[in-house]
Amino acid sequence: MSYASFPPGPHASYPAPGAPAPGAPRRVRARSVVGTLVVLALLWGLVLVVAHAGLQTVTGQALDEVALAQAKADRNAYFPRPVLVLAQYAPEVVALLAGVLALVWAVRYRRWTAALCAAGAVIAANVTTQFLKHGVLDKPDLGIQQIASNSFPSGHTTAAASFLMALLLVAPPHRRARAGRWGAFLAAVVGMLTVVNGWHRPSDAAAAVLVVAGWGLVAALAERLIGFALARTGRARCGSAGAGLRRYWEDRSRRRRRLSWREDRGDSAYVPPAHERQAEEREWASSSGREDPRGGTRNSGEWNDAAQSHAASNGGGQRAASWDRQSPSREAEDGSPWFPARPRTATALILVVLTAVLLAAAVWWPYPTVAGTLAGRITVLAGYLGIAAAAALGWAAVAARLRSPIR
């Protein structure tokens, strides 16, 4: 009986020799790194601008104080007591749920490199916030705020937002849009609740979100560079450090088995049948991207063409066509399936413009800006929109640079 080999189905293909496995990063472009650093400088530059305006200027301190007083008045007037009690624990609950889900996704999708970078971003963001608050920034007493001690940036907002950012970094690409959208929304809500609870002023929460977003960009860049380095060494063909380690042990056991066939038993060694050796070599080639063990060197296009012709000859043309229709029509710059980034940058820019308009209206209001008046409500609304704009801008910047493959 002969075991004539035939090409596999459309779900499998053999890469060309020396080519990276499907989903492995091909390269990290210099313009991508420079663009990430420029956006990082923009985000952290906004932190310095907000710090100077909210801490060192009379107008900034006055607007912050009016927004805080108006938020306290609205809290007592519009929110029932059970909601206020739950709002006291919102940062801890959000951080805990986001951290647990990030851990589940890291284990489920084997996103070990992303999890390591995300953990580093969480630690660095919280350390940066405490360092800025207690070691760098100082709030002068200008006779405006009742408590002149520095609370900039917000530690509560940083803790919750950092775990939400970790969730975005660990999320697989097909879940990343939802993780980004909900992460930005929850980060903004937590920042607003710190104002409603009377813990922080709007500038504190907005700066905390921007600090977290900056470290999210650093973590995204680090993950990409590490993934590219692992792909270059051939230890991350499947896109993770765990897969590279498993591949190493598989190659090692395969080499030992071959040595036992050839050397340990000499001429009397057992040699598997040809069809078993071909099946093993074919499986090895499909997982490692090496050359065809049967002598030829077929690339992925030739194998897929052969698979389609084989399916058509056996009445499976419709299945092959349907498989082709399911393939993504766009690809990222690393060759991976393309997924949209959420939230959109346009959404963040719209929120920034609205915040600037409301702040301008509060500053040039013809009557005194005090709590309980229309100017006070405009001021607190500008503060809330500023927190939302910071969250949308930061999460959109990170999501737009996460273009790693499905793992």
Side-chain angles (χ1 to χ4, degrees):
M1 178 181 294
S2 62
Y3 294 88
S5 59
F6 57 89
H11 59 278
S13 61
Y14 289 95
R26 295 177 181 174
R27 59 177 176 170
V28 179
R29 298 181 180 180
R31 67 179 183 181
S32 177
V33 177
V34 173
T36 302
L37 296 179
V38 169
V39 176
L40 176 63
L42 175 63
L43 292 178
W44 284 352
L46 288 176
V47 174
L48 299 179
V49 170
V50 174
H52 175 74
L55 300 180
Q56 306 296 328
T57 64
V58 175
T59 303
Q61 285 197 14
L63 291 177
D64 258 351
E65 189 67 20
V66 170
L68 181 60
Q70 185 65 52
K72 291 180 179 179
D74 293 341
R75 174 189 64 186
N76 299 327
Y78 298 107
F79 293 96
R81 184 169 182 79
V83 174
L84 295 178
V85 172
L86 293 177
Q88 300 286 328
Y89 302 98
E92 292 81 1
V93 172
V94 170
L96 178 62
L97 293 179
V100 171
L101 185 56
L103 181 61
V104 170
W105 279 356
V107 175
R108 169 65 179 83
Y109 298 103
R110 298 174 180 175
R111 302 267 294 157
W112 311 121
T113 304
L116 181 62
C117 296
V122 170
I123 297 173
N126 286 274
V127 170
T128 301
T129 292
Q130 299 303 321
F131 179 69
L132 290 176
K133 183 186 299 185
H134 301 292
V136 176
L137 301 176
D138 187 23
K139 177 185 290 185
D141 188 359
L142 303 178
I144 297 174
Q145 297 183 354
Q146 297 178 357
I147 302 177
S149 61
N150 183 33
S151 60
F152 183 99
S154 169
H156 296 85
T157 306
T158 302
S162 60
F163 280 98
L164 291 170
M165 180 59 70
L167 183 63
L168 174 62
L169 293 170
V170 175
H174 65 283
R175 298 184 183 273
R176 195 169 289 151
R178 186 171 298 177
R181 187 184 299 114
W182 282 101
F185 173 75
L186 291 177
V189 168
V190 169
M192 295 176 191
L193 288 179
T194 59
V195 179
V196 172
N197 292 332
W199 299 339
H200 290 280
R201 297 169 178 86
S203 61
D204 302 345
V209 171
L210 291 174
V211 169
V212 171
W215 281 112
L217 277 177
V218 173
L221 180 61
E223 182 206 358
R224 196 164 188 179
L225 293 176
I226 293 173
F228 175 70
L230 292 176
R232 287 290 299 270
T233 58
R235 296 302 180 192
R237 296 288 185 180
C238 297
S240 66
L245 185 60
R246 288 193 305 273
R247 169 162 176 74
Y248 170 78
W249 287 109
E250 289 174 1
D251 289 349
R252 190 171 178 221
S253 62
R254 187 178 292 106
R255 286 194 298 268
R256 284 185 173 181
R257 188 162 57 249
R258 288 184 176 180
L259 287 175
S260 66
W261 288 345
R262 296 176 182 176
E263 298 177 1
D264 294 346
R265 300 181 185 177
D267 297 335
S268 61
Y270 168 74
V271 178
H275 67 280
E276 291 185 6
R277 294 201 307 272
Q278 289 178 0
E280 182 182 1
E281 295 291 346
R282 195 180 301 117
E283 180 183 359
W284 186 29
S286 63
S287 63
S288 62
R290 302 183 180 182
E291 68 178 36
D292 180 14
R294 289 169 295 178
T297 56
R298 296 188 178 183
N299 55 26
S300 58
E302 293 174 348
W303 277 111
N304 290 330
D305 292 342
Q308 291 177 4
S309 62
H310 174 75
S313 64
N314 288 275
Q318 271 187 332
R319 290 194 300 272
S322 64
W323 179 267
D324 291 339
R325 286 195 298 269
Q326 294 174 2
S327 60
S329 57
R330 298 182 62 180
E331 288 186 351
E333 63 180 13
D334 58 359
S336 60
W338 185 91
F339 293 92
R342 295 292 184 272
R344 291 188 176 96
T345 307
T347 304
L349 295 179
I350 291 174
L351 291 174
V352 170
V353 172
L354 291 177
T355 303
V357 171
L358 291 179
L359 283 177
V363 170
W364 285 293
W365 195 257
Y367 302 101
T369 304
V370 294
T373 63
L374 179 60
R377 297 189 183 280
I378 290 177
T379 304
V380 72
L381 181 59
Y384 290 154
L385 283 179
I387 297 172
L393 187 63
W395 263 250
V398 175
R401 278 151 184 81
L402 287 175
R403 287 289 183 261
S404 53
I406 297 178
R407 293 171 185 166

